[in-house]
């Protein structure tokens, strides 16, 4: 009963809600029908009709559980109708609702697309894609999001993030349709980051049916190996590209890579073929210029085909006048022209570079090359001008040390040692560590040495050794300094340097020269014994150079010669001649050998060796001397006719040699000795009148001319000639004194006693130190006797005895004093003078006998009694 009541109550309540439930069921059924109709329109691609239906659905069934999905379809319809603004609103709304993960990721993906289309800020788009990855990692949209994020990063040149996104996509979705593309963009991103080695890995994995993508992949793979400078692999990949894609737009790029690989592997002729192919078939390609440039470089630098290189550079300049590398083409063209020795054309080319590309970093180099051209043309002042300007204009340029070095050489060439020295000191002050500075000092020192300015050379050698004691040239510099010191007669300093070299460099190749230098220093100092000792030590050095050995033996011969040990000299010269018959010193040793025999007065052997040199070495510099001294050897044998013939040979063969005038003078002497005074006179007259004869020979000729005239008894002419000599050569005091004496003698013999007295007095007063004074005094006394002036005669004779007691005229004068007094009747005084003569000059028996006679006569005349 109670159960029935409960049932009845439930039934009553249910009947009350039955209309609502029925209505709700009917409503749900209608909504589903409308949703399905709208969905069908969407699936049929009727997006406008579908969007209307979905809007109506949303309005009529706001509480339906299908509203959210209806809004998604509405958004999709709007997206497909390109109503992106309305679609954006729907997607934004949907992104805030609770969807399933898959649907939510779809909404975010579509939202990202719309934001991109509407060009919303990058950050908002990226953030939307990132939400998909972060909040819906299992969604199928993740790979799309990764792809889009990677692509977006790549487009914005954010290659690091691009790589990361594409790498994540390929790693997590190996079956993705984006796999090939993601590998490609990974590789490209790494490529643009400069990670070529890493990029090679993803490039190598790409295998696509897309010809373009595969071709690009092959190109970049080639380029990666190229940029990694792996020429062999780059070459292999380039060959693959060329063989597979011969008509692809990138073919010129790959041909260039291939050519450059060959170039880098020094296969220049093959590289030239590839570069030439680019120039011929792809003249407008981006690599045409580079191909032209490297073709020219190969021809210039490696094949040394300068005419073709010149043409290549000229084509390059005319074809690409505005290219960034055109200045380099100008510069290299200038270098090429230099190699062809087209100096003016090369200079014009460098000047064009300077004029047209004033901002190029090659300007200073172009100026430098112009300076080198002037140097080749020996226009050293222009070298100086251009390099001095460069130093002022480019004070920090790396070429400055080289420029300063060239300046030093240019100043040396124009003979401006002061200018060269100033530059050297500037280099030492600012560029001491530069290799050019040491070379500049060396060059300047050597220039001083070659000009025989040995003191200046020593100064620069010392500068070098002070600043560069360990320089490879230090040994040579030290040696040269020693030689220079020898030339300025600082023999101790020279030997000190040579000994220092011996200590510091015992194994140096200069050891023989150093040891020789020690001997040479003694030789020049005149210490011939020590020189011989050092020369002998030099000869003991193993493997001594033949030239040096022969020179040492010759010098040893000279030492003996100067020591007047002619026998040793002869032996030494003979040794040199026998041992080194091809030596450059052969003629010298033959000459010295002949001179050694000459000094021994072995004129026959002297003639033999002088004749040997004359006959066998007709081009020797000692030929004139040998002929000349051959004449002397005949002269000393009294063979005047033979001597005259030999002397005449000197005159005929060497008319401009100083010995020709000497020989002419010697012929005159021969005639003089033959008493052919007129012939001697004739020659002396010619010598005196010859403007080319030197003053010494003319002086001797004038003196001898007077003697010739004297011998021919042409006394007045002789006196005139003697007086000419005295007037023209007052410095020859002894000769002048002799000539005054000769003139006085002529006057005396001619009976011109007063003139003779004047001449003797002139000699005595003007030349008090002359060796002729005692003669002049004696004959002056004789003159006074002639003039009957016995007191003056006695006084004069007494001057001879007292002032010149060793004179040959002293005894005669003493006798004349006694005789004058005797003749004046002063017997007592006369007897004293005669007794003095007997006492002082007992050896003069002739005068002693006469003195004894006059002493007896004095006694007879009562001297004793008186």
């Amino acid at each position: 009963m109670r159960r029935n009541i409960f049932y009845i109550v439930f039934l009553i309540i249910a009947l009350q809600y039955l209309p609502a439930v029925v209505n709700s069921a009917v409503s749900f059924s209608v909504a589903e029908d409308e949703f399905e109709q709208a969905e069908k329109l969407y699936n049929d691609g009727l997006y406008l009709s579908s969007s209307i239906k979905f809007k109506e659905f949303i309005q009529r069934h706001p509480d339906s559980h299908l509203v959210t999905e209806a809004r998604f379809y509405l958004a999709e319809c709007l997206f497909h109708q390109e109503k992106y603004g309305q679609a954006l609103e729907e997607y934004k709304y949907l992104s805030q609702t609770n969807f399933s993960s898959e649907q939510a990721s779809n909404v975010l993906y579509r939202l990202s697309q719309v934001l991109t289309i509407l060009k919303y800020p990058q950050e908002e788009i990226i953030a939307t894609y990132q939400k998909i990855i972060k909040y819906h990692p299992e969604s199928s949209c993740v790979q799309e999001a990764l792809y889009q994020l990677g692509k977006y990063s790549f487009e914005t040149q954010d290659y690091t993030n691009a790589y990361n996104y594409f790498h994540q996509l390929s790693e997590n979705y190996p079956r993705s349709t984006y796999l090939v593309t993601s590998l490609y963009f990974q590789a490209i991103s790494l490529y643009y980051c400069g990670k070529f080695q890493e990029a090679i890995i993803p490039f190598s994995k790409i295998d696509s049916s897309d010809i373009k993508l595969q071709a690009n992949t092959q190109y970049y793979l080639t380029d990666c190996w190229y940029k990694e400078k792996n020429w062999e692999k780059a070459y292999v990949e380039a060959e693959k590209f060329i063989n597979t894609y011969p008509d692809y737009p990138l073919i010129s790029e790959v041909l260039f890579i291939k050519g450059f690989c060959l170039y880098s592997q020094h296969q220049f002729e093959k590289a030239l073929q590839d570069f030439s192919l680019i120039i011929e078939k792809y003249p407008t390609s981006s690599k045409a210029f580079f191909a032209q440039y490297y073709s020219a470089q190969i021809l210039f630098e490696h094949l040394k085909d300068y005419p073709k290189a010149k043409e290549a550079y000229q084509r390059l300049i005319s074809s690409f006048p505005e290219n960034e590398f055109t200045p380099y083409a100008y510069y290299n063209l200038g270098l090429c022209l230099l190699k062809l020795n087209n100096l003016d054309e090369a200079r014009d080319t460098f000047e064009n570079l300077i004029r047209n590309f004033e901002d190029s970093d090659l300007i200073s180099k172009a100026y430098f090359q112009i300076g080198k051209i002037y140097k080749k043309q020996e226009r050293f002042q222009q070298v100086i001008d251009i390099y001095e300007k460069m130093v002022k204009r480019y004070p920090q340029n790396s070429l400055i040390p080289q420029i300063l070095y060239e300046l030093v050489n240019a100043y040396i060439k124009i003979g401006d040692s002061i200018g060269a020295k100033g530059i050297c000191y500037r280099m030492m002050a600012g560029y001491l560590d530069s290799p050019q500075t040491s070379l500049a000092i060396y060059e300047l020192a050597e220039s001083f040495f070659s000009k025989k300015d040995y003191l200046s050379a020593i100064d620069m050698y010392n500068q070098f050794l002070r600043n560069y004691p360990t320089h490879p040239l230090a040994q040579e510099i030290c040696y040269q300094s020693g030689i220079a010191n020898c030339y300025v007669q600082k023999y101790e300093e020279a030997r000190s340097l040579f000994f220092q070299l011996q200590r510091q460099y015992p194994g140096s190749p200069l050891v023989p020269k150093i040891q020789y230098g020690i001997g040479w220093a003694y030789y020049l100092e005149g210490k011939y014994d020590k020189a011989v000792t050092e020369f002998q030590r030099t000869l003991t050095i193993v493997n001594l150079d033949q030239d040096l050995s022969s020179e040492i033996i010759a010098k040893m011969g000279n030492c003996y010669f100067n020591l007047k040990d002619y026998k040793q000299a002869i032996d030494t010269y003979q040794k040199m001649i026998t041992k080194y018959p091809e030596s450059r010193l052969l003629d010298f040793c033959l000459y010295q050998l002949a001179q050694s025999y000459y000094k021994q007065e072995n004129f026959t052997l002297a003639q033999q060796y002088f004749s040997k040199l004359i006959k066998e070495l007709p081009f020797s510099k000692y030929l004139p001397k040998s002929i000349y001294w051959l004449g002397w050897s005949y002269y000393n044998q009294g063979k005047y006719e033979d001597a005259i013939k030999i002397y005449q040979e000197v005159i005929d063969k060497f008319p401009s040699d100083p010995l020709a005038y000497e020989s002419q003078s010697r012929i005159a002497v021969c005639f003089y000795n033959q008493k052919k005074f007129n012939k001697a006179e004739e020659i002396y007259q010619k010598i005196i009148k010859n403007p080319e004869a030197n003053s010494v020979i003319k002086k001797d000729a004038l003196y001898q001319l007077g003697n010739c005239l004297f011998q021919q008894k042409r006394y007045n002419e002789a006196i005139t000639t003697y007086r000419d000599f005295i007037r023209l050569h007052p410095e020859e005091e002894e000769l002048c004194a002799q000539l005054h004496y000769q003139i006085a003698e002529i006057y005396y013999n001619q009976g011109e006693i007063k003139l003779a007295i004047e001449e003797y007095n002139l000699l005595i007063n003007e030349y008090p130190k002359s060796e002729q004074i005692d003669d002049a005094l004696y004959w002056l006394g004789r003159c006074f006797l002639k003039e009957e002036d016995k007191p003056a005669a006695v006084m004069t004779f007494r001057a001879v005895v007292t002032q010149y007691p060793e004179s040959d005229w002293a005894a005669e004068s003493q006798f004349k004093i006694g005789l004058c007094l005797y003749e004046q009747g002063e017997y007592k005084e006369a007897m004293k003078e005669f007794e003095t003569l007997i006492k002082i000059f007992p050896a003069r028996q002739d005068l002693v006998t006469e003195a004894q006679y006059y002493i007896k006569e004095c006694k007879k005349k009562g001297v004793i009694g008186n």
Side-chain angles (χ1 to χ4, degrees):
M1 185 66 177
R2 292 182 64 183
R3 189 170 54 185
N4 291 335
I5 293 170
F6 177 76
Y7 178 77
I8 293 168
V9 171
F10 174 77
L11 185 59
I12 292 168
I13 294 169
L15 288 172
Q16 289 178 349
Y17 287 96
L18 183 59
V21 171
V22 170
N23 288 335
S24 177
V26 171
S27 177
F28 178 77
S29 177
V30 170
E32 280 191 339
D33 288 341
E34 289 179 3
F35 182 87
E36 288 175 359
Q37 289 175 15
E39 186 178 25
K40 184 176 184 306
L41 291 169
Y42 175 84
N43 290 331
D44 291 339
L46 301 171
Y47 300 119
L48 177 59
S49 300
S50 177
S51 64
I52 294 169
K53 288 293 184 181
F54 278 123
K55 283 181 183 179
E56 290 177 351
F57 175 84
I58 294 165
Q59 290 173 357
R60 292 170 60 182
H61 309 287
D63 297 325
S64 171
H65 68 284
L66 295 172
V67 166
T68 302
E69 192 169 351
R71 294 196 72 156
F72 176 75
Y73 277 112
L74 175 60
E76 288 290 284
C77 289
L78 293 169
F79 178 84
H80 289 300
Q81 292 177 80
E82 299 181 2
K83 297 178 179 179
Y84 301 117
Q86 296 176 40
L88 178 62
E89 294 300 322
E90 292 299 329
Y91 287 130
K92 279 187 175 182
Y93 169 79
L94 290 169
S95 67
Q96 304 299 321
T97 60
N98 292 321
F99 266 126
S100 66
S101 177
E102 185 64 29
Q103 195 72 349
S105 65
N106 288 335
V107 169
L108 289 170
Y109 174 70
R110 192 65 86 186
L111 176 59
S112 300
Q113 285 185 300
V114 173
L115 289 170
T116 301
I117 292 167
L118 295 175
K119 298 181 179 179
Y120 267 64
Q122 301 174 17
E123 296 80 5
E124 192 171 343
I125 300 166
I126 292 170
T128 307
Y129 279 127
Q130 287 174 338
K131 283 180 183 179
I132 298 171
I133 298 167
K134 182 176 180 180
Y135 297 114
H136 310 285
E138 302 302 323
S139 169
S140 59
C141 291
V142 169
Q143 56 180 302
E144 186 71 35
L146 287 169
Y147 177 79
Q148 292 298 337
L149 283 169
K151 188 177 176 184
Y152 192 80
S153 297
F154 186 87
E155 289 171 354
T156 56
Q157 298 181 9
D158 183 359
Y159 300 118
T160 301
N161 275 329
Y163 169 76
N164 290 333
Y165 287 126
F166 286 124
H167 180 69
Q168 189 177 344
L169 175 58
S170 64
E171 288 293 310
N172 294 340
Y173 303 96
R175 296 179 182 277
S176 169
T177 55
Y178 293 119
L179 178 62
V180 171
T181 308
S182 67
L183 285 171
Y184 180 78
F185 279 109
Q186 281 180 65
I188 289 291
S189 297
L190 290 167
Y191 177 91
Y192 285 139
C193 287
K195 298 178 180 180
F196 307 114
Q197 187 71 42
E198 294 177 40
I200 289 167
I201 297 171
F203 275 134
S204 301
K205 293 179 180 179
I206 297 171
D207 183 11
S208 173
S209 58
D210 185 332
I211 299 291
K212 181 178 179 181
L213 187 142
Q214 195 66 37
N216 285 343
T217 298
Q218 185 63 41
Y219 165 74
Y220 281 115
L221 186 59
T222 303
D223 201 37
C224 283
W225 286 121
Y226 167 73
K227 286 185 165 57
E228 282 292 303
K229 299 183 180 179
N230 190 324
W231 313 122
E232 291 182 6
K233 291 190 176 180
Y235 176 83
V236 169
E237 297 300 332
E239 280 279 86
K240 286 181 184 177
F241 185 99
I242 294 165
N243 293 332
T244 308
Y245 310 105
D247 299 318
Y248 199 72
L250 290 170
I251 189 68
S252 62
E253 303 275 340
V254 178
L255 273 171
F256 178 79
I257 291 173
K258 180 191 169 195
F260 195 87
C261 289
L262 291 166
Y263 174 86
S264 300
Q265 294 179 91
H266 299 174
Q267 298 183 48
F268 301 114
E269 292 184 353
K270 288 184 178 180
L272 188 60
Q273 291 175 6
D274 283 324
F275 292 142
S276 299
L277 184 60
I278 295 170
I279 296 164
E280 180 185 345
K281 293 188 68 176
Y282 310 102
T284 60
S285 91
S286 62
K287 292 299 179 184
F289 170 81
F290 296 101
Q292 185 75 59
Y293 178 78
Y294 280 105
S295 294
Q297 288 292 92
I298 289 170
L299 291 165
F300 175 59
E301 290 186 353
H302 305 292
L303 301 183
K304 311 297 182 187
D305 189 341
Y306 303 122
K308 286 186 179 179
K310 170 190 168 185
E311 293 174 5
Y313 284 125
Q314 287 173 333
R315 282 196 304 272
L316 182 64
I317 291 166
S318 61
S319 301
F320 304 93
E322 302 299 327
N323 193 286
E324 60 180 309
F325 289 102
T326 305
Y328 295 93
Y330 268 103
Y331 183 74
N332 289 336
L333 173 60
L335 294 179
C336 186
L337 291 164
L338 266 178
K339 292 289 186 181
L340 290 168
N341 212 33
N342 296 344
L343 302 182
D344 290 332
E345 196 176 346
R347 190 181 69 250
D348 290 343
T349 302
F350 290 125
E351 286 175 350
N352 281 335
L353 167 61
I354 293 166
R355 196 163 40 248
N356 297 323
F357 303 94
E358 58 184 21
D359 295 329
S360 171
D361 58 356
L362 292 171
I363 296 298
S364 59
K365 289 185 177 181
Y367 276 119
F368 180 69
Q369 294 299 338
I370 292 171
K372 289 181 75 173
I373 291 168
Y374 285 136
K375 179 182 176 181
K376 277 196 168 189
Q377 293 174 325
E378 297 187 356
R379 297 164 64 181
F380 298 110
Q381 189 56 56
Q382 283 92 335
V383 173
I384 291 168
D385 292 343
I386 197 166
Y387 284 153
E388 288 284 12
K389 287 178 184 176
M390 281 194 72
V391 171
K392 291 178 183 177
R393 188 176 297 180
Y394 307 105
Q396 305 302 318
N397 193 286
S398 61
L399 286 171
I400 292 299
Q402 182 68 31
I403 290 167
L404 292 172
Y405 170 74
E406 294 294 345
L407 274 171
V408 169
N409 278 292
Y411 277 118
I412 289 171
K413 290 294 185 181
I414 67 169
D416 187 351
S417 298
I418 294 173
K421 196 170 184 178
I423 299 294
C424 269
Y425 276 98
R426 192 193 305 185
M427 293 179 78
M428 284 189 279
Y431 305 95
L432 190 61
D433 295 333
S434 169
Q436 280 82 19
T437 303
S438 57
L439 289 176
I441 298 170
Y442 173 74
E443 296 286 353
L444 181 57
E446 289 294 278
S447 75
F448 282 132
F449 189 95
S450 65
K451 290 192 298 185
K452 300 184 179 179
D453 183 356
Y454 299 116
L455 287 173
S456 295
I458 290 166
D459 176 46
M460 296 313 296
Y461 287 141
N462 289 339
Q463 290 286 353
F464 189 102
L465 294 172
R466 203 163 28 245
N467 291 305
Y468 309 102
T470 60
H471 194 282
L473 286 171
Q475 293 181 53
E476 183 181 341
I477 295 292
C478 193
Y479 173 75
Q480 286 291 93
S481 184
I483 297 296
N485 273 284
C486 283
Y487 282 128
V488 296
Q489 299 179 9
K490 293 183 178 180
Y491 305 116
E492 283 298 326
E493 288 89 335
R495 286 192 289 272
S496 176
L497 286 165
F498 293 139
F499 287 133
Q500 177 186 333
L501 279 168
Q502 281 185 330
R503 288 192 303 272
Q504 289 184 345
Y505 307 102
S508 168
L510 287 174
V511 164
K513 285 188 175 182
I514 294 164
Q515 181 61 49
Y516 167 75
I518 296 168
W520 191 57
Y522 281 124
Y523 175 85
L524 292 175
E525 198 174 0
K527 296 179 178 179
Y528 300 115
D529 289 334
K530 289 186 176 181
V532 167
T533 301
E534 296 300 332
F535 287 145
Q536 286 173 336
R537 284 178 183 165
T538 311
L539 290 173
T540 63
I541 296 172
V542 178
N543 298 325
L544 189 66
D545 177 77
Q546 284 193 4
D547 286 343
L548 183 58
S549 181
S550 62
E551 186 167 341
I552 290 168
I553 295 172
K555 284 280 195 306
M556 286 174 65
N558 287 357
C559 289
Y560 292 126
F561 185 91
N562 291 326
L563 290 167
K564 299 183 180 179
D565 186 349
Y566 299 117
K567 184 179 183 307
Q568 278 280 34
I570 288 167
D571 291 344
T572 307
Y573 291 133
Q574 285 282 20
K575 179 182 177 182
M576 214 295 296
I577 293 166
T578 304
K579 192 172 182 179
Y580 302 106
E582 303 300 321
S583 170
R584 62 183 176 81
L585 296 171
L586 178 64
D587 56 346
F588 169 75
C589 288
L590 275 172
Y591 175 76
Q592 285 295 98
L593 180 60
Q595 283 286 5
S596 298
Y597 282 119
Y598 183 92
K599 292 291 184 182
Q600 287 185 320
E601 298 186 3
N602 189 336
F603 300 119
T604 301
L605 283 177
Q607 289 164 11
Q608 178 183 325
Y609 284 102
F610 282 134
S611 298
K612 182 179 176 65
L613 190 153
I614 293 164
K615 182 180 179 181
E616 296 180 5
L617 300 167
F619 300 106
S620 168
K621 67 179 180 180
Y622 295 99
L623 188 64
K625 281 184 173 182
S626 295
I627 300 173
Y628 176 74
W629 284 104
L630 179 61
W632 265 100
S633 68
Y634 284 119
Y635 173 85
N636 284 317
Q637 289 177 316
K639 299 177 179 179
Y640 300 124
E641 287 300 326
D642 290 334
I644 289 169
K645 288 178 182 178
I646 298 299
Y647 288 135
Q648 189 60 47
E649 189 178 343
V650 176
I651 295 167
D652 293 341
K653 289 184 176 180
F654 310 101
S656 60
D657 193 291
L659 287 176
Y661 303 112
E662 292 274 3
S663 295
Q664 198 172 22
S665 179
R666 294 306 307 164
I667 291 172
V669 172
C670 289
F671 283 136
Y672 188 92
N673 289 348
Q674 290 177 312
K675 302 189 183 305
K676 297 177 180 178
F677 302 118
N678 58 332
K679 287 189 176 182
E681 176 197 347
E682 184 181 342
I683 293 172
Y684 287 133
Q685 289 283 15
K686 286 180 181 179
I687 292 171
I688 292 166
K689 293 175 183 177
N690 189 339
E692 295 182 2
N694 68 55
S695 59
V696 175
I697 293 175
K698 282 187 174 182
K699 179 169 64 177
D700 183 65
L702 185 61
Y703 175 77
Q704 289 293 91
L705 175 62
N707 290 339
C708 287
L709 293 166
F710 179 84
Q711 292 294 340
Q712 294 176 77
K713 298 182 180 180
R714 292 156 60 186
Y715 298 121
N716 289 338
E717 292 177 68
I719 288 170
T720 300
T721 303
Y722 288 148
R723 291 204 187 282
D724 284 344
F725 185 95
I726 294 166
R727 176 175 53 81
L728 293 172
H729 305 289
E731 75 284 355
E732 296 287 348
E733 293 188 358
E734 191 57 39
L735 272 179
C736 290
Q738 287 179 20
L739 293 179
H740 279 298
Y741 182 81
Q742 190 87 343
I743 292 168
E745 191 176 48
I746 292 171
Y747 285 141
Y748 184 88
N749 291 331
Q750 289 180 330
E752 301 283 348
I753 305 304
K754 290 189 185 302
L755 291 175
I757 290 170
E758 287 179 13
E759 207 67 35
Y760 285 130
N761 276 324
L762 185 62
L763 188 160
I764 293 162
N765 293 327
E766 293 292 326
Y767 308 97
K769 295 181 181 180
S770 170
E771 294 178 359
Q772 300 282 158
I773 294 295
D774 58 331
D775 299 304
L777 283 169
Y778 174 76
W779 286 102
L780 179 60
R782 294 284 296 267
C783 287
F784 285 135
L785 288 179
K786 290 275 188 183
E787 291 289 301
E788 299 296 330
D789 188 351
K790 286 185 171 58
V794 169
M795 183 176 66
T796 306
F797 289 134
R798 198 173 296 286
V800 175
V801 175
T802 56
Q803 294 177 30
Y804 302 98
E806 303 299 322
S807 170
D808 292 341
W809 299 113
E812 293 278 355
S813 296
Q814 182 65 40
F815 179 79
K816 293 291 184 187
I817 293 169
L819 188 61
C820 285
L821 292 170
Y822 177 85
E823 289 175 352
Q824 289 178 176
E826 298 178 24
Y827 302 117
K828 184 177 180 180
E829 295 299 323
M831 191 169 65
K832 287 180 182 178
E833 296 296 336
F834 288 131
E835 287 172 346
T836 299
L837 184 147
I838 293 167
K839 181 180 179 181
I840 298 175
F841 304 107
R844 287 294 302 270
Q845 284 299 311
D846 56 331
L847 295 176
V848 167
T849 301
E850 284 201 60
Q852 288 172 338
Y853 167 78
Y854 278 109
I855 288 171
K856 288 178 182 179
E857 288 298 309
C858 286
K859 287 179 179 180
K860 284 181 183 180
K861 293 183 182 292
V863 172
I864 299 300
N866 292 339

